[in-house]
Every structure is written in C-alpha cells, then in structure tokens.
Amino acid sequence: DVYKRQVVDRSRDPGYAPDMPRSEPDPSASTPRTRSLELLLVSLPFSAERRVTGEESIDAYNASSQAFTRMESLMVRVIDDDGRTGWGEAFGHRSNPATWAALEEIVGPFALGRSTEPAEFRAEADYAFHAFGRTGPVHFAVSAVDTALWDLAAQRSGMPLRWAARS
C-alpha cells in the first residue's frame, strides 16, 4: 500500500503566521532552494522469518516479533527550484505517524524556501530543533530531508551519492 500526501508551502496561504523564521530566497545564491516536499508512506508485507518455539518473548514493537507483519517506510521527496528530485527516508517502524506529523507540521515547512546545500540546511535545522533532542521523530524527519538534500547535491555534482558524501 502506498499513501501519498503533498506538503504545501503554507506561507502563501492567507492568514499564515510562521512559528519560526524562514530564510528568504537569495536571488544571487547559486544553490537552488527547496520548492516542495512530498511524503510517501509505503507499507509492505513483512515477516522476520524467525522460528518461535513456545511463547513469543519479544514485544510487538520489535521488528523481529511475529506480530510485526507490515514494514513501513516513510519516504521524503524534495523538489528544488531547478525541478530536480532528491529522495530521503525517515527511520520509524511504528513511530512513522509521529515522524509524518513532524515532517508535515514542523520540519517540512521549515525546509521550504531554504538552501538545498546539505551542510547549510543541517546546521540551520540542528540549531532550530535542538530542544527536541538528538533522537525521536523530529530528528528522524530532519534526517530524511538531509538525506534527500545529499541526493540532490550528488546529482548537481554529477557523482554517485557515495562519492559526493565523501567530498
């Protein structure tokens, strides 16, 4: 099953009052800005293929549990001003609803209009979201956007992502 939803730039909506400062597009900037984000939740049948003899001792939140029958992946598609598309994935398993909410309500709107340069975005996001801690749904959401921006950077450089990330 695939569920899709577009994150819109709500700054264009009448009556929008931003909760946090947004970077204004710089016409002299050479790096494109984030034009839009799309969230995709993919859910596939899953089995840990683990034999259980007797009673299961692992809780239903552990992916190796026999009760864990679907594997979800929360994908983020970032489209820049040049029309390029970068893809990222948010860690989540059963926390995907909270990570989706973080992407839709906090991190997605924060990313819109910002530079697609990964290091610049990551520094701004780390500063903006430091109060949310170093793990959890907000961090997973930032990481998904960060990964998509690295994908875009690799495309701009003409190198495979594994090489672009080293430079």
Side-chain angles (χ1 to χ4, degrees), residues 18-65:
D19 296 325
M20 53 187 100
R22 297 174 45 84
S23 16
E24 295 302 320
D26 178 1
S28 66
S30 60
T31 303
R33 301 286 171 164
T34 299
R35 182 174 69 201
S36 66
L37 288 92
E38 185 177 4
L39 311 181
L40 290 95
L41 180 62
V42 180
S43 179
L44 302 170
F46 174 78
S47 172
E49 298 294 330
R50 192 174 60 79
R51 285 183 292 163
V52 177
T53 53
E55 212 173 298
E56 173 114 58
S57 63
I58 298 173
D59 67 64
Y61 292 96
N62 187 316
S64 66
S65 167

mmCIF file of all heavy atoms in Angstrom, residues 18-65:
data_model
loop_
_atom_site.group_PDB
_atom_site.id
_atom_site.type_symbol
_atom_site.label_atom_id
_atom_site.label_comp_id
_atom_site.label_asym_id
_atom_site.label_seq_id
_atom_site.Cartn_x
_atom_site.Cartn_y
_atom_site.Cartn_z
ATOM 1 N N PRO A 18 3.979 32.404 10.454
ATOM 2 C CA PRO A 18 5.029 31.422 10.702
ATOM 3 C C PRO A 18 5.381 31.332 12.177
ATOM 4 O O PRO A 18 5.406 32.327 12.882
ATOM 5 C CB PRO A 18 6.207 31.933 9.882
ATOM 6 C CG PRO A 18 5.945 33.382 9.683
ATOM 7 C CD PRO A 18 4.451 33.559 9.708
ATOM 8 N N ASP A 19 5.651 30.111 12.610
ATOM 9 C CA ASP A 19 6.050 29.873 14.001
ATOM 10 C C ASP A 19 7.533 30.124 14.207
ATOM 11 O O ASP A 19 7.983 30.303 15.323
ATOM 12 C CB ASP A 19 5.737 28.432 14.399
ATOM 13 C CG ASP A 19 4.253 28.146 14.377
ATOM 14 O OD1 ASP A 19 3.474 29.053 14.706
ATOM 15 O OD2 ASP A 19 3.896 27.023 14.026
ATOM 16 N N MET A 20 8.294 30.052 13.129
ATOM 17 C CA MET A 20 9.734 30.239 13.237
ATOM 18 C C MET A 20 10.230 30.992 12.012
ATOM 19 O O MET A 20 9.579 30.988 10.980
ATOM 20 C CB MET A 20 10.440 28.903 13.401
ATOM 21 C CG MET A 20 10.119 27.875 12.374
ATOM 22 S SD MET A 20 10.866 26.292 12.789
ATOM 23 C CE MET A 20 9.491 25.444 13.490
ATOM 24 N N PRO A 21 11.385 31.618 12.126
ATOM 25 C CA PRO A 21 11.886 32.391 10.988
ATOM 26 C C PRO A 21 12.161 31.487 9.791
ATOM 27 O O PRO A 21 12.545 30.350 9.935
ATOM 28 C CB PRO A 21 13.188 33.004 11.508
ATOM 29 C CG PRO A 21 13.381 32.529 12.885
ATOM 30 C CD PRO A 21 12.253 31.647 13.268
ATOM 31 N N ARG A 22 11.928 32.031 8.610
ATOM 32 C CA ARG A 22 12.209 31.310 7.371
ATOM 33 C C ARG A 22 13.300 32.069 6.633
ATOM 34 O O ARG A 22 13.372 33.270 6.687
ATOM 35 C CB ARG A 22 10.960 31.276 6.487
ATOM 36 C CG ARG A 22 9.804 30.549 7.096
ATOM 37 C CD ARG A 22 8.566 30.689 6.232
ATOM 38 N NE ARG A 22 8.808 30.483 4.825
ATOM 39 C CZ ARG A 22 8.847 29.297 4.230
ATOM 40 N NH1 ARG A 22 8.677 28.220 4.929
ATOM 41 N NH2 ARG A 22 9.057 29.203 2.944
ATOM 42 N N SER A 23 14.129 31.329 5.921
ATOM 43 C CA SER A 23 15.113 32.029 5.116
ATOM 44 C C SER A 23 14.444 32.542 3.856
ATOM 45 O O SER A 23 13.646 31.854 3.265
ATOM 46 C CB SER A 23 16.300 31.185 4.725
ATOM 47 O OG SER A 23 16.194 29.864 4.851
ATOM 48 N N GLU A 24 14.749 33.751 3.526
ATOM 49 C CA GLU A 24 14.205 34.336 2.307
ATOM 50 C C GLU A 24 15.091 33.911 1.138
ATOM 51 O O GLU A 24 16.307 33.874 1.261
ATOM 52 C CB GLU A 24 14.196 35.864 2.423
ATOM 53 C CG GLU A 24 13.249 36.369 3.503
ATOM 54 C CD GLU A 24 11.812 35.924 3.274
ATOM 55 O OE1 GLU A 24 11.355 35.932 2.115
ATOM 56 O OE2 GLU A 24 11.159 35.547 4.253
ATOM 57 N N PRO A 25 14.488 33.586 -0.010
ATOM 58 C CA PRO A 25 15.294 33.214 -1.170
ATOM 59 C C PRO A 25 16.257 34.336 -1.539
ATOM 60 O O PRO A 25 15.901 35.504 -1.569
ATOM 61 C CB PRO A 25 14.258 32.991 -2.272
ATOM 62 C CG PRO A 25 12.981 32.716 -1.539
ATOM 63 C CD PRO A 25 13.074 33.487 -0.253
ATOM 64 N N ASP A 26 17.488 33.971 -1.795
ATOM 65 C CA ASP A 26 18.529 34.914 -2.184
ATOM 66 C C ASP A 26 18.741 34.776 -3.685
ATOM 67 O O ASP A 26 19.232 33.750 -4.152
ATOM 68 C CB ASP A 26 19.816 34.590 -1.421
ATOM 69 C CG ASP A 26 20.974 35.497 -1.788
ATOM 70 O OD1 ASP A 26 20.786 36.401 -2.634
ATOM 71 O OD2 ASP A 26 22.063 35.299 -1.233
ATOM 72 N N PRO A 27 18.350 35.800 -4.470
ATOM 73 C CA PRO A 27 18.460 35.683 -5.925
ATOM 74 C C PRO A 27 19.889 35.468 -6.401
ATOM 75 O O PRO A 27 20.110 34.948 -7.474
ATOM 76 C CB PRO A 27 17.900 36.997 -6.446
ATOM 77 C CG PRO A 27 17.560 37.833 -5.272
ATOM 78 C CD PRO A 27 17.806 37.048 -4.027
ATOM 79 N N SER A 28 20.894 35.850 -5.606
ATOM 80 C CA SER A 28 22.283 35.685 -6.022
ATOM 81 C C SER A 28 22.844 34.318 -5.633
ATOM 82 O O SER A 28 23.960 33.981 -5.990
ATOM 83 C CB SER A 28 23.153 36.787 -5.402
ATOM 84 O OG SER A 28 23.188 36.617 -3.990
ATOM 85 N N ALA A 29 22.071 33.523 -4.913
ATOM 86 C CA ALA A 29 22.546 32.211 -4.465
ATOM 87 C C ALA A 29 22.669 31.262 -5.643
ATOM 88 O O ALA A 29 21.830 31.230 -6.525
ATOM 89 C CB ALA A 29 21.593 31.631 -3.425
ATOM 90 N N SER A 30 23.752 30.479 -5.632
ATOM 91 C CA SER A 30 23.964 29.531 -6.730
ATOM 92 C C SER A 30 23.322 28.179 -6.437
ATOM 93 O O SER A 30 23.100 27.402 -7.343
ATOM 94 C CB SER A 30 25.461 29.348 -6.984
ATOM 95 O OG SER A 30 26.087 28.852 -5.819
ATOM 96 N N THR A 31 23.033 27.897 -5.181
ATOM 97 C CA THR A 31 22.396 26.635 -4.818
ATOM 98 C C THR A 31 20.883 26.830 -4.832
ATOM 99 O O THR A 31 20.374 27.764 -4.226
ATOM 100 C CB THR A 31 22.850 26.188 -3.412
ATOM 101 O OG1 THR A 31 24.264 26.091 -3.389
ATOM 102 C CG2 THR A 31 22.256 24.841 -3.059
ATOM 103 N N PRO A 32 20.168 25.936 -5.524
ATOM 104 C CA PRO A 32 18.707 26.067 -5.558
ATOM 105 C C PRO A 32 18.091 25.948 -4.162
ATOM 106 O O PRO A 32 18.709 25.429 -3.237
ATOM 107 C CB PRO A 32 18.253 24.899 -6.435
ATOM 108 C CG PRO A 32 19.458 24.396 -7.108
ATOM 109 C CD PRO A 32 20.637 24.804 -6.285
ATOM 110 N N ARG A 33 16.873 26.399 -4.044
ATOM 111 C CA ARG A 33 16.098 26.327 -2.805
ATOM 112 C C ARG A 33 15.110 25.170 -2.891
ATOM 113 O O ARG A 33 14.772 24.693 -3.971
ATOM 114 C CB ARG A 33 15.316 27.624 -2.588
ATOM 115 C CG ARG A 33 16.178 28.860 -2.508
ATOM 116 C CD ARG A 33 16.896 28.906 -1.217
ATOM 117 N NE ARG A 33 17.883 29.972 -1.198
ATOM 118 C CZ ARG A 33 18.430 30.409 -0.087
ATOM 119 N NH1 ARG A 33 18.097 29.886 1.076
ATOM 120 N NH2 ARG A 33 19.318 31.355 -0.123
ATOM 121 N N THR A 34 14.625 24.747 -1.738
ATOM 122 C CA THR A 34 13.608 23.693 -1.677
ATOM 123 C C THR A 34 12.277 24.286 -2.095
ATOM 124 O O THR A 34 11.778 25.206 -1.459
ATOM 125 C CB THR A 34 13.515 23.116 -0.258
ATOM 126 O OG1 THR A 34 14.773 22.542 0.083
ATOM 127 C CG2 THR A 34 12.436 22.054 -0.170
ATOM 128 N N ARG A 35 11.713 23.748 -3.184
ATOM 129 C CA ARG A 35 10.435 24.231 -3.694
ATOM 130 C C ARG A 35 9.265 23.487 -3.053
ATOM 131 O O ARG A 35 8.265 24.088 -2.694
ATOM 132 C CB ARG A 35 10.378 24.084 -5.211
ATOM 133 C CG ARG A 35 9.092 24.619 -5.797
ATOM 134 C CD ARG A 35 9.100 24.610 -7.298
ATOM 135 N NE ARG A 35 9.067 23.239 -7.782
ATOM 136 C CZ ARG A 35 9.461 22.861 -8.981
ATOM 137 N NH1 ARG A 35 9.953 23.753 -9.818
ATOM 138 N NH2 ARG A 35 9.387 21.603 -9.349
ATOM 139 N N SER A 36 9.384 22.166 -2.915
ATOM 140 C CA SER A 36 8.296 21.406 -2.308
ATOM 141 C C SER A 36 8.811 20.089 -1.744
ATOM 142 O O SER A 36 9.906 19.644 -2.089
ATOM 143 C CB SER A 36 7.173 21.132 -3.320
ATOM 144 O OG SER A 36 7.623 20.290 -4.344
ATOM 145 N N LEU A 37 8.021 19.528 -0.859
ATOM 146 C CA LEU A 37 8.302 18.216 -0.283
ATOM 147 C C LEU A 37 7.054 17.364 -0.439
ATOM 148 O O LEU A 37 5.945 17.868 -0.314
ATOM 149 C CB LEU A 37 8.619 18.309 1.216
ATOM 150 C CG LEU A 37 9.941 18.916 1.609
ATOM 151 C CD1 LEU A 37 9.774 20.391 1.836
ATOM 152 C CD2 LEU A 37 10.441 18.247 2.847
ATOM 153 N N GLU A 38 7.272 16.103 -0.688
ATOM 154 C CA GLU A 38 6.172 15.153 -0.769
ATOM 155 C C GLU A 38 6.493 14.006 0.169
ATOM 156 O O GLU A 38 7.625 13.521 0.203
ATOM 157 C CB GLU A 38 6.024 14.647 -2.192
ATOM 158 C CG GLU A 38 4.839 13.751 -2.411
ATOM 159 C CD GLU A 38 4.705 13.341 -3.871
ATOM 160 O OE1 GLU A 38 5.573 13.690 -4.685
ATOM 161 O OE2 GLU A 38 3.728 12.656 -4.172
ATOM 162 N N LEU A 39 5.517 13.570 0.937
ATOM 163 C CA LEU A 39 5.683 12.458 1.868
ATOM 164 C C LEU A 39 4.992 11.232 1.291
ATOM 165 O O LEU A 39 3.868 11.335 0.808
ATOM 166 C CB LEU A 39 5.069 12.786 3.225
ATOM 167 C CG LEU A 39 5.435 14.121 3.848
ATOM 168 C CD1 LEU A 39 4.752 14.257 5.200
ATOM 169 C CD2 LEU A 39 6.922 14.276 3.966
ATOM 170 N N LEU A 40 5.666 10.098 1.364
ATOM 171 C CA LEU A 40 5.072 8.847 0.904
ATOM 172 C C LEU A 40 5.275 7.809 1.986
ATOM 173 O O LEU A 40 6.409 7.562 2.424
ATOM 174 C CB LEU A 40 5.741 8.365 -0.379
ATOM 175 C CG LEU A 40 5.458 9.190 -1.617
ATOM 176 C CD1 LEU A 40 6.546 10.208 -1.818
ATOM 177 C CD2 LEU A 40 5.362 8.277 -2.806
ATOM 178 N N LEU A 41 4.203 7.206 2.413
ATOM 179 C CA LEU A 41 4.273 6.123 3.388
ATOM 180 C C LEU A 41 4.004 4.825 2.642
ATOM 181 O O LEU A 41 2.930 4.642 2.078
ATOM 182 C CB LEU A 41 3.250 6.309 4.510
ATOM 183 C CG LEU A 41 3.249 5.235 5.586
ATOM 184 C CD1 LEU A 41 4.582 5.183 6.313
ATOM 185 C CD2 LEU A 41 2.114 5.471 6.558
ATOM 186 N N VAL A 42 5.007 3.970 2.611
ATOM 187 C CA VAL A 42 4.913 2.697 1.921
ATOM 188 C C VAL A 42 4.825 1.606 2.982
ATOM 189 O O VAL A 42 5.622 1.588 3.923
ATOM 190 C CB VAL A 42 6.143 2.466 1.021
ATOM 191 C CG1 VAL A 42 6.046 1.139 0.290
ATOM 192 C CG2 VAL A 42 6.311 3.620 0.044
ATOM 193 N N SER A 43 3.868 0.706 2.830
ATOM 194 C CA SER A 43 3.679 -0.379 3.783
ATOM 195 C C SER A 43 3.667 -1.695 3.012
ATOM 196 O O SER A 43 2.834 -1.883 2.116
ATOM 197 C CB SER A 43 2.364 -0.186 4.536
ATOM 198 O OG SER A 43 2.166 -1.236 5.451
ATOM 199 N N LEU A 44 4.597 -2.572 3.344
ATOM 200 C CA LEU A 44 4.743 -3.844 2.645
ATOM 201 C C LEU A 44 4.595 -5.010 3.614
ATOM 202 O O LEU A 44 4.964 -4.900 4.785
ATOM 203 C CB LEU A 44 6.120 -3.923 1.980
ATOM 204 C CG LEU A 44 6.443 -2.827 0.976
ATOM 205 C CD1 LEU A 44 7.913 -2.880 0.591
ATOM 206 C CD2 LEU A 44 5.565 -2.962 -0.247
ATOM 207 N N PRO A 45 4.099 -6.146 3.121
ATOM 208 C CA PRO A 45 4.044 -7.338 3.983
ATOM 209 C C PRO A 45 5.460 -7.677 4.464
ATOM 210 O O PRO A 45 6.431 -7.499 3.746
ATOM 211 C CB PRO A 45 3.514 -8.430 3.062
ATOM 212 C CG PRO A 45 2.865 -7.719 1.932
ATOM 213 C CD PRO A 45 3.584 -6.405 1.789
ATOM 214 N N PHE A 46 5.545 -8.159 5.697
ATOM 215 C CA PHE A 46 6.858 -8.420 6.286
ATOM 216 C C PHE A 46 6.775 -9.617 7.230
ATOM 217 O O PHE A 46 5.783 -9.804 7.937
ATOM 218 C CB PHE A 46 7.325 -7.192 7.080
ATOM 219 C CG PHE A 46 8.593 -7.410 7.850
ATOM 220 C CD1 PHE A 46 9.815 -7.387 7.209
ATOM 221 C CD2 PHE A 46 8.563 -7.652 9.213
ATOM 222 C CE1 PHE A 46 10.993 -7.593 7.919
ATOM 223 C CE2 PHE A 46 9.725 -7.858 9.930
ATOM 224 C CZ PHE A 46 10.943 -7.824 9.276
ATOM 225 N N SER A 47 7.827 -10.382 7.226
ATOM 226 C CA SER A 47 7.980 -11.457 8.192
ATOM 227 C C SER A 47 9.448 -11.530 8.586
ATOM 228 O O SER A 47 10.331 -11.489 7.723
ATOM 229 C CB SER A 47 7.546 -12.799 7.599
ATOM 230 O OG SER A 47 7.884 -13.846 8.491
ATOM 231 N N ALA A 48 9.706 -11.647 9.864
ATOM 232 C CA ALA A 48 11.083 -11.761 10.341
ATOM 233 C C ALA A 48 11.662 -13.137 10.036
ATOM 234 O O ALA A 48 12.860 -13.353 10.203
ATOM 235 C CB ALA A 48 11.152 -11.487 11.838
ATOM 236 N N GLU A 49 10.811 -14.058 9.593
ATOM 237 C CA GLU A 49 11.253 -15.425 9.268
ATOM 238 C C GLU A 49 11.989 -16.058 10.438
ATOM 239 O O GLU A 49 12.973 -16.753 10.272
ATOM 240 C CB GLU A 49 12.145 -15.426 8.011
ATOM 241 C CG GLU A 49 11.459 -14.949 6.760
ATOM 242 C CD GLU A 49 10.343 -15.872 6.286
ATOM 243 O OE1 GLU A 49 10.412 -17.096 6.526
ATOM 244 O OE2 GLU A 49 9.396 -15.349 5.679
ATOM 245 N N ARG A 50 11.494 -15.785 11.619
ATOM 246 C CA ARG A 50 12.109 -16.309 12.840
ATOM 247 C C ARG A 50 11.205 -17.396 13.389
ATOM 248 O O ARG A 50 10.000 -17.214 13.513
ATOM 249 C CB ARG A 50 12.256 -15.165 13.852
ATOM 250 C CG ARG A 50 13.107 -15.475 15.036
ATOM 251 C CD ARG A 50 13.291 -14.228 15.879
ATOM 252 N NE ARG A 50 12.053 -13.675 16.372
ATOM 253 C CZ ARG A 50 11.380 -14.146 17.428
ATOM 254 N NH1 ARG A 50 11.826 -15.191 18.098
ATOM 255 N NH2 ARG A 50 10.273 -13.578 17.825
ATOM 256 N N ARG A 51 11.794 -18.530 13.701
ATOM 257 C CA ARG A 51 11.013 -19.610 14.295
ATOM 258 C C ARG A 51 10.787 -19.331 15.771
ATOM 259 O O ARG A 51 11.696 -18.922 16.481
ATOM 260 C CB ARG A 51 11.729 -20.946 14.134
ATOM 261 C CG ARG A 51 11.641 -21.466 12.710
ATOM 262 C CD ARG A 51 12.282 -22.803 12.607
ATOM 263 N NE ARG A 51 13.712 -22.603 12.812
ATOM 264 C CZ ARG A 51 14.570 -23.555 13.103
ATOM 265 N NH1 ARG A 51 14.171 -24.777 13.242
ATOM 266 N NH2 ARG A 51 15.832 -23.294 13.261
ATOM 267 N N VAL A 52 9.576 -19.558 16.197
ATOM 268 C CA VAL A 52 9.241 -19.385 17.604
ATOM 269 C C VAL A 52 8.787 -20.741 18.132
ATOM 270 O O VAL A 52 7.883 -21.361 17.577
ATOM 271 C CB VAL A 52 8.112 -18.352 17.802
ATOM 272 C CG1 VAL A 52 7.729 -18.244 19.256
ATOM 273 C CG2 VAL A 52 8.522 -17.006 17.245
ATOM 274 N N THR A 53 9.442 -21.172 19.165
ATOM 275 C CA THR A 53 9.003 -22.394 19.834
ATOM 276 C C THR A 53 8.479 -21.980 21.195
ATOM 277 O O THR A 53 9.168 -21.323 21.963
ATOM 278 C CB THR A 53 10.163 -23.407 19.981
ATOM 279 O OG1 THR A 53 11.257 -22.764 20.611
ATOM 280 C CG2 THR A 53 10.595 -23.932 18.626
ATOM 281 N N GLY A 54 7.242 -22.316 21.422
ATOM 282 C CA GLY A 54 6.639 -21.892 22.682
ATOM 283 C C GLY A 54 6.056 -20.507 22.544
ATOM 284 O O GLY A 54 5.632 -20.070 21.482
ATOM 285 N N GLU A 55 6.096 -19.769 23.635
ATOM 286 C CA GLU A 55 5.510 -18.435 23.672
ATOM 287 C C GLU A 55 6.512 -17.386 23.197
ATOM 288 O O GLU A 55 7.694 -17.452 23.525
ATOM 289 C CB GLU A 55 5.092 -18.125 25.115
ATOM 290 C CG GLU A 55 3.886 -17.250 25.192
ATOM 291 C CD GLU A 55 3.406 -17.117 26.619
ATOM 292 O OE1 GLU A 55 3.030 -18.148 27.207
ATOM 293 O OE2 GLU A 55 3.440 -15.989 27.123
ATOM 294 N N GLU A 56 6.022 -16.406 22.437
ATOM 295 C CA GLU A 56 6.880 -15.320 21.943
ATOM 296 C C GLU A 56 7.336 -14.461 23.112
ATOM 297 O O GLU A 56 6.536 -14.092 23.967
ATOM 298 C CB GLU A 56 6.107 -14.463 20.943
ATOM 299 C CG GLU A 56 6.840 -13.226 20.514
ATOM 300 C CD GLU A 56 7.213 -13.249 19.052
ATOM 301 O OE1 GLU A 56 6.325 -13.382 18.215
ATOM 302 O OE2 GLU A 56 8.404 -13.123 18.769
ATOM 303 N N SER A 57 8.625 -14.134 23.151
ATOM 304 C CA SER A 57 9.156 -13.350 24.265
ATOM 305 C C SER A 57 9.495 -11.921 23.848
ATOM 306 O O SER A 57 10.008 -11.158 24.646
ATOM 307 C CB SER A 57 10.405 -14.027 24.830
ATOM 308 O OG SER A 57 11.409 -14.070 23.840
ATOM 309 N N ILE A 58 9.204 -11.564 22.598
ATOM 310 C CA ILE A 58 9.546 -10.240 22.087
ATOM 311 C C ILE A 58 8.259 -9.441 21.920
ATOM 312 O O ILE A 58 7.264 -9.949 21.409
ATOM 313 C CB ILE A 58 10.280 -10.360 20.731
ATOM 314 C CG1 ILE A 58 11.585 -11.131 20.926
ATOM 315 C CG2 ILE A 58 10.540 -8.993 20.133
ATOM 316 C CD1 ILE A 58 12.306 -11.444 19.639
ATOM 317 N N ASP A 59 8.276 -8.169 22.339
ATOM 318 C CA ASP A 59 7.055 -7.361 22.245
ATOM 319 C C ASP A 59 6.737 -6.982 20.798
ATOM 320 O O ASP A 59 7.581 -7.078 19.915
ATOM 321 C CB ASP A 59 7.165 -6.114 23.133
ATOM 322 C CG ASP A 59 8.205 -5.139 22.648
ATOM 323 O OD1 ASP A 59 8.032 -4.600 21.540
ATOM 324 O OD2 ASP A 59 9.175 -4.897 23.375
ATOM 325 N N ALA A 60 5.527 -6.567 20.571
ATOM 326 C CA ALA A 60 5.028 -6.267 19.225
ATOM 327 C C ALA A 60 5.704 -5.059 18.586
ATOM 328 O O ALA A 60 5.527 -4.822 17.398
ATOM 329 C CB ALA A 60 3.524 -6.053 19.268
ATOM 330 N N TYR A 61 6.473 -4.277 19.341
ATOM 331 C CA TYR A 61 7.167 -3.113 18.778
ATOM 332 C C TYR A 61 8.538 -3.466 18.236
ATOM 333 O O TYR A 61 9.202 -2.648 17.623
ATOM 334 C CB TYR A 61 7.270 -1.980 19.810
ATOM 335 C CG TYR A 61 5.915 -1.406 20.112
ATOM 336 C CD1 TYR A 61 5.181 -1.835 21.204
ATOM 337 C CD2 TYR A 61 5.351 -0.459 19.271
ATOM 338 C CE1 TYR A 61 3.917 -1.327 21.460
ATOM 339 C CE2 TYR A 61 4.093 0.056 19.520
ATOM 340 C CZ TYR A 61 3.384 -0.388 20.615
ATOM 341 O OH TYR A 61 2.143 0.116 20.850
ATOM 342 N N ASN A 62 8.989 -4.669 18.448
ATOM 343 C CA ASN A 62 10.280 -5.138 17.956
ATOM 344 C C ASN A 62 10.067 -5.764 16.582
ATOM 345 O O ASN A 62 9.218 -6.634 16.416
ATOM 346 C CB ASN A 62 10.853 -6.158 18.947
ATOM 347 C CG ASN A 62 12.251 -6.573 18.606
ATOM 348 O OD1 ASN A 62 12.571 -6.838 17.458
ATOM 349 N ND2 ASN A 62 13.092 -6.632 19.622
ATOM 350 N N ALA A 63 10.853 -5.343 15.598
ATOM 351 C CA ALA A 63 10.667 -5.825 14.227
ATOM 352 C C ALA A 63 10.905 -7.321 14.077
ATOM 353 O O ALA A 63 10.518 -7.902 13.075
ATOM 354 C CB ALA A 63 11.575 -5.063 13.271
ATOM 355 N N SER A 64 11.519 -7.956 15.046
ATOM 356 C CA SER A 64 11.706 -9.408 14.946
ATOM 357 C C SER A 64 10.535 -10.183 15.544
ATOM 358 O O SER A 64 10.519 -11.402 15.526
ATOM 359 C CB SER A 64 13.024 -9.829 15.598
ATOM 360 O OG SER A 64 12.973 -9.605 16.984
ATOM 361 N N SER A 65 9.539 -9.480 16.038
ATOM 362 C CA SER A 65 8.350 -10.123 16.592
ATOM 363 C C SER A 65 7.499 -10.715 15.472
ATOM 364 O O SER A 65 7.391 -10.141 14.388
ATOM 365 C CB SER A 65 7.518 -9.095 17.362
ATOM 366 O OG SER A 65 6.237 -9.600 17.645
#
